[in-house]
Amino acid sequence: MIHYNYSARQLESEAEKLLFQFDPERLKKPKSIDVYAVIEKCLGVEYDWKYITPDQSILGATAFNAGYIWVWPEPCYREGMLPSKAYLPKGCILIDATLTESGNRGRENFTVMHEVFHQVLHKNCFRREKPDYIHGTSQKALNGKKPLKTSLDFIEYQANTCAAAFLMPQDVVREEFKKRSNNLGSKYPLPCDYMVESIICDMADVFSVSKQAMRYRLNALNMVTFDATPFQFKISI
């Protein structure tokens, strides 16, 4: 496995390039989105939903080549329950079915776009793997905390970064945050206090992402900071 050293600017550019192909208007204003339409229009590959693991440790998978993956009949393990093999054609994106059942559209959207950008950025990174190699994305890989040491770490970081940039375009996010926070001062980044948390919650709904994803995106864009947070909040996807 290999990885390419994309800069932060290059990753933003890749996300904006796909956004322009899918819906250029989203580069100018927030809109609702059907992430599966992105797969259909921009990738032209198949996608499906299965219970990939009985503990939701794997949220998505990408078949860089045709092959088989183990899937489960139910989302929670019961004694005696066994997985079965499911065939994935080349390019197929598989999403854990619990994401569609949980009602957490933000996490589902982010997972789908994470897998989309594996297709966009990383096909050549896995060319040395076995012919039926299928890459799975763990929940841990999506939490933004894992240090970058291996090629796989960099690949996961790049897919996360592009997914965030696609769902939350930088210029639109900055503009929307400034409009909502204009009574809190104009010196950015703003400390992530209760009032800012309320704005983050509202923007997460507008952009169809999780609160955690919006928090990280605003922090990456230097609009909010966690350093001066006057209270402890629980981050949940």
Side-chain angles (χ1 to χ4, degrees):
M1 183 184 303
I2 62 172
H3 74 276
Y4 299 105
N5 290 316
Y6 293 103
S7 67
R9 180 174 295 182
Q10 285 174 318
L11 293 173
E12 288 281 350
S13 177
E14 288 294 330
E16 291 178 356
K17 188 188 304 181
L18 192 68
L19 257 180
F20 187 81
Q21 179 185 350
F22 175 66
D23 184 357
E25 196 174 21
R26 287 183 56 82
L27 290 165
K28 299 178 181 179
K29 65 179 185 180
K31 296 175 62 179
S32 60
I33 186 170
D34 177 357
V35 289
Y36 297 101
V38 179
I39 299 176
E40 294 169 358
K41 181 176 180 179
C42 301
L43 299 183
V45 300
E46 296 182 32
Y47 55 89
D48 201 355
W49 302 266
K50 300 286 185 183
Y51 298 120
I52 303 175
T53 57
D55 60 359
Q56 292 76 60
S57 58
I58 301 294
L59 297 178
T62 294
F64 289 103
N65 293 287
Y68 291 87
I69 189 171
W70 291 103
V71 298
W72 294 79
E74 298 178 22
C76 298
Y77 179 76
R78 292 184 294 104
E79 186 175 356
M81 189 168 70
L82 295 173
S84 60
K85 279 188 174 182
Y87 176 76
L88 299 185
K90 183 176 181 178
C92 183
I93 290 175
L94 189 67
I95 300 300
D96 192 78
T98 58
L99 291 178
T100 65
E101 298 166 353
S102 66
N104 191 334
R105 189 63 184 272
R107 184 162 68 165
E108 181 180 0
N109 285 349
F110 198 93
T111 301
V112 171
M113 291 312 305
H114 178 101
E115 299 304 329
V116 165
F117 278 102
H118 277 321
Q119 292 279 350
V120 172
L121 299 175
H122 300 136
K123 289 180 181 178
N124 289 334
C125 297
F126 294 92
R127 65 177 182 267
R128 297 175 184 171
E129 302 299 323
K130 59 185 180 180
D132 61 347
Y133 183 80
I134 295 171
H135 170 64
T137 299
S138 69
Q139 185 167 342
K140 187 175 181 180
L142 297 177
N143 70 11
K145 297 180 180 179
K146 190 174 182 181
L148 305 181
K149 295 180 180 179
T150 67
S151 288
L152 187 57
D153 294 336
F154 280 94
I155 285 168
E156 294 299 328
Y157 159 76
Q158 291 165 3
N160 278 352
T161 300
C162 282
F166 182 95
L167 292 167
M168 298 167 281
Q170 56 181 335
D171 291 342
V172 183
V173 167
R174 285 194 181 101
E175 182 180 347
E176 291 296 313
F177 184 75
K178 287 178 180 179
K179 284 196 301 187
R180 288 168 166 79
S181 64
N182 59 6
N183 62 328
L184 302 179
S186 57
K187 187 176 181 180
Y188 299 101
L190 295 176
C192 200
D193 59 15
Y194 287 102
M195 298 179 72
V196 169
E197 273 291 296
S198 178
I199 295 172
I200 289 172
C201 186
D202 180 52
M203 288 184 62
D205 288 339
V206 170
F207 286 84
S208 299
V209 298
S210 69
K211 293 188 292 292
Q212 180 182 5
M214 182 56 70
R215 242 184 242 118
Y216 283 149
R217 182 62 168 157
L218 287 167
N219 179 252
L221 294 175
N222 204 34
M223 302 304 291
V224 305
T225 179
F226 305 143
D227 298 336
T229 304
F231 70 100
Q232 296 295 322
F233 55 81
K234 180 181 178 182
I235 294 180
S236 58
I237 298 180

